[in-house]
Amino acid sequence: MSEVTQTPVLIIEDEAEIRKFLRLTLTTHGLKPIEAENGKAGMQLLRSQHPEVMILDLGLPDIDGIEIIRQVREFSHIPIVVLSARGQENDKIMALELGADDYLTKPFSAGELIARVKVGLRHARRLNNGGEAYEVDGLKVDLTSRVVTLHNEDIKLTPIEYKLLSVLVKNSGKVITHTQLMREVWGKHTLENNNYLRIHTQHLREKLKDDALNPRFIITEPGIGYRFKSQG
Amino acid sequence: MAKYNEKSTDVVNDNRPNPDSLLDLVSNDRSITTRGRLKVFFGASAGVGKTYAMLSEARRLLHDGIDVVIGIVETHGRDETAKLMEGLPTVPTLDVVHRGITLKDFDLEAALERKPSLILIDEFAHTNAPGSRHPKRWQDIAELLNRGIDVYTTLNVQHLESINDLVAKLTGVQVRETVPDKIFDEADEISLVDIPSDELLKRLHEGKVYIAPGANQRAAENFFKKSNLIALRELALRRTAERVDAENDVLSSARGQKEAQIGQKILVCIGHDSLSASVIRHSRRMASRAKAPWYVIYVETARHIRLTDKAKLTADRNLRLAEKMGARIIRLSGSNACEEILNYARNNGITRIVVGHKRQSRFASLFGSTLSRELIENGSGMEITTVTEDVPQEKSYTSFWGHYLAQPLSYIWAIVILALCTLLGLPFRTVTDPNNLTMIYLTGVVIIAARYGIGPSVFASLVSVACFNFFYTEPIYTFSFIDPDYYYTFSVMLIASLIVGSLAAKLSLQARQSRKREQETNVLYSLTRELSSVRGIAAMSEAAIKHIGQAFDVIITIFLPTENGMQTIPENTPSRELKEESVARWALENRQLAGRQTDTLPSAKGSYIPLVAENTSLGVLGIVPKNESRQFSTAEISQMETFASLIASAFQRAHNAESAEKAKIESESEKLRNVLLSSVSHDLRTPLASITGAASSALMLKEKLPKAVTELLNSIHSQAARLAKLVTNLLDVTSLEAGKIKLNDQPYFIAEVIGSALTRIEENKDQRTINTDVAKDLPLIVMDGLLIEQVLVNLLDNAIRYTKQDGKITISAKVEADCLRITVSDNGEGLPKGEEEKIFEKFYTRGHRTDGNAGLGLAICKGVVEAHGGSITGKSGKEGGAVISFTLPGLKPIMETHE
């Protein structure tokens, strides 16, 4: 890839070793890493370098990662992938609800990293385009005509199930929290809706012939939410 | 419940219910449900059928299924009564040997152990044989009630303390066994068993009424005269009516109705004679009729030093009687009893005074008035009631001479001092007028008066005049004198020394008394000061032991409750003899005094006062007098109780300080633990993240790499993953240890979580087959999905570790009762025999430590499962291999979904 088309990716991470691995991995995959070792520097680079994706560590020394997300979301739709440790579920959920797009739990592999970054990029670039068709593994979802087929067989979905599926599909590849799902489908997050969500998701799974024990499409992320299989 | 509490004197001005009295009612009711209910079958005399009525009702209750037992019932040989006892379970009686006769008495211990719902105990006023836990049966009953056991009992009207003497006067028969009125009034229900007197007489003639064997036949006949029976019946009816009245008042005052006027307060003066006892009983009847609160006042004057021991005891006994009857005790000291009483009355708005009146002979009235007369003379505005009785004259004070003749030694000293005076003066006889030397003798008399009291000083006065006559007046060394002027000298000298002497004696006495009182206050003060300055229960105990032991000349032991028994400070004390420790324990558990001079276990060597603060027993203060025969006075006992409450609040403070300290330490170590956890977590994970990331990143280029390098990179990657798992386990275990696992409960379908776990172990499973056996349509389960996923991962990892490369693993989930049961089984090595429970212990590895397995996985599973309220077990499978299974409660019922 030429210099011109290399996608800039902003890395805000205080640990040098992790930055190195991130940098090398991104470079290997034709992306252009821009590094910052603290929040302030990161924000500056965000404004000056116009990266297309941001990788943000939640445990920064100077500013709380959550705070950075809040600030960034005031003026930018840039996809944000947060890096966090296990046991910090609350932080992850808050980050996701404040606008982060996905997360990676340390330690993670290079493969996961590239996958998340690519998903983020895809969604960012597609934001400009309207309703689309989704297709993977025999499942076809046409959001404009509202037609769902699995291996060319029509799937009959209830309105809620369709709504649920469309939200998942629009966010395919990204994690989406239960709260976000509830808000999109029902308009608000309540205790009852939490239960309904699980039940409807299960129904949806059954209709898509997706086995929860061995999921193809709808992947459960315990404690966080769901992730719909990415297109590619 | 006829309780004369302050609240009932509030007059309600409107008809709205008084919330305080309502609250009282409710709280009284509530206290009834935790305390046993007492029902007294009350009658005018023996033979009216109280026991019969009690048994009949008990039989009915037994038939209804209530757990009724007989504690002790006297049938007195009546068949019809005995027949009623058939079928009722009985607590076996205790054989007590008393004066060579074996009697059967009620066994309190057995009854407490049996713990029935209701127990029948005849003869409320019975006195227990010496050596029993309590001297009186009504105290046994009180203990049963405290433990929540209901009691039925029987009582004749003449056994009531306040009525006892009335009945004695009426019938000529004095019954010695009595029950305090307070106890009677507190009974929950009184059932009056009443029959007309003619009927009772008929029964007597038919031989149906019990007469104690050996009782004076004539006395019994006198007792059962018709006039007596009528009078007794009236007493019983009246007493019952009083109670109904009182109950009614409590209810109506709670409802806000204008209550019958509560009577004015009554002040009763008592002293150290037996007349006081009658005064007290009379006052109680007065107070109860007028529904007035009554106070008993006892004034200690300077004369009290001369009280005989017997009189002192009687005074104490009178005060206790008054307390038992429900009066409030006021002790004052002063120079004039009448003055103190009237002052108190005026200061407290009391206008009714009751006092006993002793008749004085004309002669005696010349020398001083009685209290009753003084009160009448000086009590303007007061309503004074006198109670007169013909009581045998008692000698309360040791006679004037008797008191002073008791110390012959003082007189000898007096003589010695006077001799010294003489020797001092003799040399000056020739130099100056002998009259001037009288002063030396006066000085001597003053010294004697101050040190030895009035008697010796009067003696010295006389002797000094004689000495003066003998040694100084012409002719010297004779008792005659020439100069008539000496008449005046002698008289003046005598009168002067008598006056000065008595003044000195009185002053000296008063000084001694105040010093004694000051001493008592000092002890209290120094104990208080030391208690507030030391910290820790041990130091406080030492302070208490030192001060109280010295002040009262007793041996003090402090008992402190520990996890398994009691600890004493100091370690070796005479109270350690086993019998005494149980007394202390009783005091601790029942929060009441026990031991010597109390109502419980009075044969003990020491007295045991519980240290109670905020309704909990913190320990017991044990007091053993150094001199075995010493009896503590009421004043001393109440002083000790004051000390006990001082110590108790000091202990309470120490406890609170300790808990505050502990809480502080806990929160500090909590903070430290959290900081440690988060920093360790971060510090371990960061390099791991770099290693994993770098290795995986390099592996993405594996086409370009030599095979060997790829393999090495794989190795690095997988080992880093293993290390990461270990770190995760270590941190999880730390959180579990701290008890700080917080569950993030969410609803899940177990299948999703199992699926998620399977994905995570995908890498390690190699060629092994993992089967799933999860029922369709399992309901939602509420749990912490992430933690349970970790549990499953751990179990699967274990299964992988202990099976061969081609092993088979099965994971199943199904509903069991109201739980979900999840099982992971494999066909691998299996569990070592006998270690099925040990495997869940930390750091347990099956037999040998392989591949860096720290043995924490299963411990974490156990911790998480139990935190969810479930349980986990392991056993060996039918074909070898291990089967680990756990349950999770929290199933949600299938919900109807709305679209």
Side-chain angles (χ1 to χ4, degrees), chain A residues 98-110:
Chain A
L98 281 173
D101 294 79
D102 219 325
Y103 68 95
L104 284 165
T105 310
K106 293 187 244 187
F108 52 87
S109 68

Side-chain angles (χ1 to χ4, degrees), chain B residues 664-708:
Chain B
K664 197 167 120 188
I665 293 177
E666 253 180 44
S667 92
E668 303 258 307
S669 63
E670 176 63 31
K671 265 189 254 174
L672 188 63
R673 195 173 18 237
N674 282 340
V675 166
L676 221 62
L677 258 178
S678 60
S679 87
V680 163
S681 167
H682 182 264
D683 291 341
L684 280 174
R685 290 203 162 115
T686 306
L688 270 175
S690 306
I691 297 171
T692 309
S696 62
S697 190
L699 277 168
M700 283 184 131
L701 307 164
K702 61 178 168 213
E703 296 89 36
K704 304 197 187 137
L705 297 165
K707 196 153 178 282

Side-chain angles (χ1 to χ4, degrees), chain A residues 141-156:
Chain A
V141 181
D142 190 333
L143 292 169
T144 25
S145 61
R146 297 164 80 94
V147 168
V148 180
T149 58
L150 180 65
H151 297 305
N152 291 319
E153 260 187 52
D154 254 343
I155 308 278
K156 280 252 153 254

Side-chain angles (χ1 to χ4, degrees), chain B residues 422-480:
Chain B
T422 313
L423 286 171
L424 265 173
L426 277 177
F428 299 96
R429 194 176 37 183
T430 45
V431 177
T432 173
D433 187 347
N435 287 342
N436 295 336
L437 302 171
T438 57
M439 285 303 161
I440 304 180
Y441 284 110
L442 199 59
T443 315
V445 169
V446 170
I447 295 174
I448 292 167
R451 287 208 64 179
Y452 302 109
I454 284 226
S457 91
V458 168
F459 173 72
S461 305
L462 294 166
V463 171
S464 63
V465 171
C467 284
F468 184 69
N469 183 353
F470 192 80
F471 288 101
Y472 292 92
T473 58
E474 296 288 333
I476 57 178
Y477 301 122
T478 65
F479 279 115
S480 56

Side-chain angles (χ1 to χ4, degrees), chain B residues 535-542 558 560 569 618 650-652 654-655 658:
Chain B
R535 286 172 54 148
I537 293 200
M540 289 178 183
S541 304
E542 306 266 313
I558 306 248
L560 297 166
I569 299 177
L618 297 169
F651 279 8
Q652 180 72 323
H655 267 265
E658 265 175 44

Side-chain angles (χ1 to χ4, degrees), chain A residues 10 45 62 76 88-89 97 136 150 153-155 203 215:
Chain A
L10 176 60
L45 286 170
D62 57 345
S76 169
Q88 294 181 315
E89 266 58 49
E97 297 194 351
V136 79
L150 180 65
E153 260 187 52
D154 254 343
I155 308 278
H203 289 168

Side-chain angles (χ1 to χ4, degrees), chain B residues 26 98 424 478 531 547 606 611 641 650:
Chain B
V26 170
H98 184 55
L424 265 173
T478 65
L531 281 178
H547 280 97
L611 303 167
E641 289 182 36

Side-chain angles (χ1 to χ4, degrees), chain A residues 15 17-18 21 25 28-29 86 89 107 109-111 158 194-196 198-200 202 205 213 220 222-223 226, chain B residues 682 685-686 690 692-694 696-697 700-701 728 732 746-749 752 754-756 772 786 892 897-899:
Chain A
E15 290 282 342
E17 286 296 328
I18 298 188
F21 137 64
T25 311
T28 318
H29 286 82
R86 185 177 167 277
E89 266 58 49
S109 68
T158 69
N194 203 1
N195 292 325
Y196 291 148
R198 319 296 170 124
I199 293 172
H200 284 295
Q202 186 65 11
R205 271 198 178 111
L213 289 165
T220 300
Y226 293 109
Chain B
H682 182 264
R685 290 203 162 115
T686 306
S690 306
T692 309
S696 62
S697 190
M700 283 184 131
L701 307 164
T728 301
D732 278 351
Q746 296 278 333
Y748 293 92
F749 285 106
E752 328 175 71
I754 295 178
S756 188
T772 54
L786 205 58
K892 276 189 111 44
T897 55
H898 306 284
E899 289 291 319

